Amino acid sequence: LFDGVTTESGNSESSSSRIGIEWFGDEAVKIASGAARIKRTEVIADALAGKSVPSRAEYGRYRDLLLSVSEDWRALAIRSTACLYRLQGLLNFFDSGQNESGSEGSRIRRTRGKGMKTTHLLTPEIVRVGREALTIYAPLAQMLGMQRLKAELESAAFQVLYRRQYSVANKLYHKGGDSMMSIADYITSRVEELLQNDFLLMKQIETISVTSRVKEPYSLWRKLLKIRMKRKIAKSSLSRS
């Protein structure tokens, strides 16, 4: 954790006497041990799955398994953050424009035409990292009440797995994002004002806070898919009748 330990005399000890996690106290040891236990479970699950990409039901069982072996919510938060770190590493790799030789199973194909076009060929390893983020670690972050971490996991995984769809959804989000934020802020303040003016309600509680959010690109894309699916079902019902 540190390159050396400074003693009272001002001298620095050798790197062989580096501070261990125990120096930070029992709570730090507990969190580190919990994170290591979850990490070992992840490694075993990945080894059992092999190169195949698990189904959604299998991912659900995987998530339940991580919950069962975890004794501290902070350890789950660390492993969820580690998943985000892996996704960001993949995005940095994609953006760097490296070729096949610098990849752990990922491939980049370039075609020349009226400009350079880069196509990222997703391998099972990359697909698994992205789907684990969406089906395991983002839901875990939501269970822990870490909405920002959940949103960042979904956004990064969305960008890794569906780059074209992410680009479209991101443009739509930024196109109307400012106006939607203004609307959300106005509605939030109005609702909070109405609740605070409810004297019967305020007698029962000490304070009240109203929060709102504008859908992120991933949530927006899912919403568009649901609308599209509903339209298809409606058209199919009309054609049958």
Side-chain angles (χ1 to χ4, degrees):
L1 295 172
F2 299 102
D3 291 334
V5 180
T6 302
T7 61
E8 293 181 358
S9 61
N11 297 324
S12 179
E13 297 179 4
S14 64
S15 59
S16 61
S17 59
R18 291 177 181 174
I19 295 175
I21 191 67
E22 294 82 4
W23 188 83
F24 296 94
D26 294 339
E27 280 298 305
V29 174
K30 179 182 177 182
I31 296 170
S33 298
R37 186 184 303 110
I38 297 173
K39 173 64 176 177
R40 288 194 296 270
T41 305
E42 292 172 348
V43 172
I44 294 172
D46 288 342
L48 292 175
K51 294 184 177 181
S52 61
V53 178
S55 64
R56 181 171 292 273
E58 290 172 330
Y59 277 129
R61 291 192 289 270
Y62 186 3
R63 184 175 62 247
D64 293 340
L65 176 62
L66 295 185
L67 284 170
S68 67
V69 300
S70 175
E71 297 179 354
D72 194 308
W73 65 269
R74 293 167 293 186
L76 283 173
I78 289 174
R79 295 311 306 161
S80 298
T81 306
C83 178
L84 178 61
Y85 181 80
R86 291 194 295 271
L87 291 169
Q88 290 174 339
L90 287 172
L91 292 175
N92 291 336
F93 169 75
F94 290 161
D95 294 338
S96 69
Q98 297 183 39
N99 56 23
E100 298 179 14
S101 60
S103 147
E104 53 172 42
S106 61
R107 300 182 294 280
I108 296 181
R109 179 178 61 203
R110 290 190 173 89
T111 56
R112 295 185 180 275
K114 293 183 178 180
M116 182 72 75
K117 180 180 180 181
T118 304
T119 303
H120 303 280
L121 304 181
L122 297 179
T123 62
E125 293 84 359
I126 293 177
V127 172
R128 182 182 298 175
V129 172
R131 290 188 179 176
E132 284 179 356
L134 293 177
T135 58
I136 297 174
Y137 297 102
L140 286 176
Q142 185 175 24
M143 292 177 188
L144 296 172
M146 298 180 173
Q147 297 301 325
R148 181 176 176 182
L149 177 58
K150 170 185 175 290
E152 290 185 6
L153 281 165
E154 290 177 340
S155 179
F158 184 27
Q159 193 172 354
V160 166
L161 295 174
Y162 309 100
R163 292 182 71 83
R164 180 174 59 84
Q165 293 88 335
Y166 172 83
S167 178
V168 173
N170 198 44
K171 288 178 181 178
L172 290 173
Y173 175 78
H174 287 290
K175 184 178 180 180
D178 292 337
S179 59
M180 292 301 295
M181 287 295 295
S182 299
I183 294 172
D185 290 341
Y186 172 75
I187 294 175
T188 301
S189 61
R190 286 290 296 141
V191 171
E192 188 167 353
E193 181 182 351
L194 290 171
L195 292 174
Q196 288 177 346
N197 290 334
D198 188 332
F199 298 107
L200 183 60
L201 173 64
M202 296 307 296
K203 285 182 179 179
Q204 310 300 321
I205 57 177
E206 294 183 359
T207 59
I208 190 168
S209 176
V210 180
T211 60
S212 63
R213 65 181 179 87
V214 177
K215 284 186 177 294
E216 299 287 337
Y218 176 69
S219 299
L220 177 60
W221 178 64
R222 289 188 64 185
K223 184 69 174 181
L224 293 174
L225 288 180
K226 289 180 180 179
I227 294 173
R228 183 180 179 185
M229 183 60 66
K230 287 181 180 179
R231 287 178 178 175
K232 284 186 176 181
I233 294 174
K235 287 182 179 179
S236 178
S237 299
L238 288 174
S239 63
R240 291 176 182 177
S241 58

